[in-house]
Amino acid sequence: MLKGPYVSSSQHIPSLVAYFDFGFTAGEFNGSSISVFSRNPISNTERELAVVGRGGEFRLAIGFAQLKTYFLNATNGDAIV
């Protein structure tokens, strides 16, 4: 399960402030979560966002989430990341 808002954060370079909360609902990590909060420069094909919170099995985890855009339709905002 993935939840979170996006907020535009730049006038010149397409960037969003992104908050994601990845909640695991089955398997080995059921009940655990990872939260990501960072500037997301969406025009970059590959980028890193900070992991800022976590729970359950990931309680002491630190690090980053590495994102890669595979598809982006700038007209309607659809993307596969």
Side-chain angles (χ1 to χ4, degrees):
M1 173 179 60
L2 170 66
K3 293 182 179 181
Y6 289 96
V7 177
S8 181
S9 64
S10 176
Q11 292 181 339
H12 306 290
I13 299 170
S15 293
L16 302 171
V17 173
Y19 170 77
F20 306 129
D21 186 36
F22 296 90
F24 296 86
T25 59
E28 179 181 356
F29 302 113
N30 186 26
S32 297
S33 65
I34 297 174
S35 297
V36 175
F37 181 77
S38 193
R39 179 179 166 268
N40 184 6
I42 60 174
S43 60
N44 295 356
T45 302
E46 295 187 25
R47 56 229 183 255
E48 296 177 353
L49 279 67
V51 172
V52 297
R54 54 260 159 218
E57 292 291 322
F58 302 106
R59 184 175 41 231
L60 298 176
I62 59 171
F64 61 92
Q66 191 170 26
L67 304 181
K68 182 175 182 179
T69 301
Y70 290 92
F71 170 80
L72 174 63
N73 181 329
T75 303
N76 66 10
D78 287 347
I80 298 173
V81 179

